[in-house]
Amino acid sequence: MNVSDAMTPRADLVVVEIPGSRNDVLEYIQEHGFSSVPVVKDVDGDEVYRGLVSRDDLIDQPDEDQLALLMREVPTVAADDDIINAAETMVAEESRRLPVVDDDALVGILTVTDVVRAIARGEIDGETAVDGLATR
């Protein structure tokens, strides 16, 4: 199974654009209960993925207003990557989400919930030993 089979597609994501401010992120986090928001930038008419801003980023930098300085780089996956490899990356990076990026374009996001749903639907082999995917 590929990441694209389980991810939340770009059309269903809320993003913020550079240039922007912390208020742009706060609005989405408060309205929708998100814990992070992907950041994109318009480059010659194309939307280019730049990073994520999370609640923790806003808390850790209370005096920073510029979105470009609040965002951070996180590991990404491609839509055609194997979902098992993506889950292993989530565990290794202690991340609950991975932006799905193809050719610098944000095409979706893969969350722990997306992976669990795929397992529950029987789309991922449930025979994989959990010790390779879990931490204490």
Side-chain angles (χ1 to χ4, degrees), residues 53-68:
V53 174
S54 71
R55 284 186 300 231
D56 292 339
D57 298 324
L58 297 174
I59 291 167
D60 291 343
Q61 301 176 67
D63 297 326
E64 185 55 63
D65 189 51
Q66 294 182 34
L67 190 55

Side-chain angles (χ1 to χ4, degrees), residues 21-51:
S21 71
R22 79 183 294 112
N23 287 337
D24 298 330
V25 177
L26 281 170
E27 177 183 331
Y28 291 122
I29 287 176
Q30 289 172 340
E31 280 183 29
H32 303 284
F34 299 135
S35 59
S36 66
V37 180
V39 180
V40 296
K41 181 174 183 173
D42 184 312
V43 177
D44 299 326
D46 293 323
E47 185 181 89
V48 177
Y49 170 76
R50 290 294 189 220

